[in-house]
Amino acid sequence: MNYFHWKIDLVGDERMNTLLDNLQGWMYGVIAIVLIGMGIILHATFSERSRLRRLAYRDTVTGLYNRNGLDRFWKKYNGKGNLAVMSLDLDYFKEVNDTFGHHMGDMLLRAVSKDLRRVTNKNQQAYRIGGDEFLIILKNCEPDTVEILAGLILGKICRPYYIEGQDIAITGSIGISISDGEHAEQRRMQEEADIAMYRAKKLGKNRYTVYKGSVKREISKVEPLRFPKKRTTAN
């Protein structure tokens, strides 16, 4: 009688152990699934945050950096080497919008932005700061390099853009401020670049002006579709 009781208890213990083993395995499986799920959720959350962070610094129309991206640059700038700020405004852009509509204007902005990417390098960054206004920052630059880039940009922009069966003709006006790194200040340099840009517009557009305190140095594009050839000086 005791033998059978012991055997029944033994069988019961084995079943209990098996049940516990199965339960333990099931719990490990659930925990693994939960951990994997949490990992996927966290990864998706961080990816979404990274995407939103990138979007916060990017212009939605052109893909260039926007004002937030520009402010971030200045916050991180270490003040080493010469720095140049180039203010670019598209001439006749309003007429394009009024004639062909804002959809065509956005396509033109994207085409111009594509050209800006083509002519800039790792030390030169283009920003769209609103409407038809762009800013290009050049690090570790020499004045001649800045002027060469300004000429390249004007040469690109003045060539008609073929968009949806239309030849869209515009030009650009550029103002430039150059400073050594230690004295580079965002507000001052952007204001100087804007002053020089409006000076370029006043002188006839389709040219660039370098801000030099009370003296402004201009190189004019005297004919359409050609690079700057004539150098003039204005007080």
Side-chain angles (χ1 to χ4, degrees):
M1 184 72 176
N2 290 335
Y3 167 77
F4 289 107
H5 177 72
W6 176 79
K7 187 173 183 180
I8 291 173
D9 288 345
L10 181 61
V11 173
D13 290 341
E14 289 178 350
R15 290 179 178 177
M16 181 61 69
N17 289 335
T18 302
L19 180 62
L20 290 174
D21 290 341
N22 292 338
L23 182 61
Q24 188 178 42
W26 177 83
M27 290 179 63
Y28 285 150
V30 170
I31 292 173
I33 293 172
V34 170
L35 291 175
I36 292 172
M38 290 178 62
I40 293 173
I41 292 173
L42 289 173
H43 177 74
T45 301
F46 286 131
S47 297
E48 181 65 13
R49 287 182 178 177
S50 298
R51 186 184 71 85
L52 292 175
R53 192 178 297 113
R54 289 194 299 270
L55 289 176
Y57 296 115
R58 293 283 183 177
D59 174 57
T60 56
V61 175
T62 64
L64 296 178
Y65 285 110
N66 55 19
R67 284 184 180 273
N68 293 332
L70 180 63
D71 290 340
R72 184 176 65 169
F73 165 79
W74 283 105
K75 289 177 181 178
K76 293 184 176 182
Y77 178 59
N78 57 19
K80 294 182 179 179
N82 290 339
L83 189 76
V85 174
M86 188 181 297
S87 177
L88 165 65
D89 190 84
L90 303 183
D91 305 321
Y92 314 112
F93 181 75
K94 182 179 183 301
E95 287 78 357
V96 172
N97 271 341
D98 292 344
T99 303
F100 301 104
H102 290 278
H103 170 68
M104 188 76 81
D106 287 348
M107 295 184 70
L108 176 61
L109 290 172
R110 283 191 283 270
V112 170
S113 299
K114 189 174 182 179
D115 280 339
L116 292 179
R117 290 191 188 94
R118 285 173 174 169
V119 298
T120 52
N121 60 34
K122 64 180 181 179
N123 287 322
Q124 304 162 356
Q125 184 64 60
Y127 303 80
R128 183 190 176 213
I129 57 177
D132 59 342
E133 301 173 19
F134 298 84
L135 213 69
I136 299 96
I137 291 183
L138 298 85
K139 298 184 296 183
N140 303 320
C141 59
E142 297 298 327
D144 288 346
T145 303
V146 181
E147 295 189 17
I148 289 172
L149 179 61
L152 288 173
I153 291 173
L154 293 177
K156 285 283 188 182
I157 292 174
C158 75
R159 294 176 173 86
Y161 289 92
Y162 187 74
I163 301 174
E164 292 194 345
Q166 299 287 341
D167 281 325
I168 308 297
I170 59 170
T171 57
S173 296
I174 293 176
I176 299 168
S177 173
I178 305 175
S179 177
D180 62 273
E182 292 183 357
H183 298 93
E185 298 176 2
Q186 179 179 8
R187 182 175 179 180
R188 175 182 60 79
M189 293 190 71
Q190 290 181 202
E191 286 180 350
E192 290 176 355
D194 284 341
I195 290 171
M197 182 270 291
Y198 285 115
R199 176 69 171 169
K201 281 186 175 291
K202 187 176 180 180
L203 289 172
K205 304 177 181 180
N206 198 28
R207 67 186 70 204
Y208 66 83
T209 300
V210 182
Y211 187 94
K212 292 289 183 181
S214 60
V215 179
K216 304 171 186 66
R217 207 155 38 100
E218 291 93 25
I219 298 180
S220 304
K221 295 190 69 180
V222 295
E223 295 182 21
L225 309 183
R226 296 184 182 179
F227 286 96
K229 291 184 179 180
K230 183 178 178 182
R231 179 185 293 268
T232 60
T233 302
N235 296 323

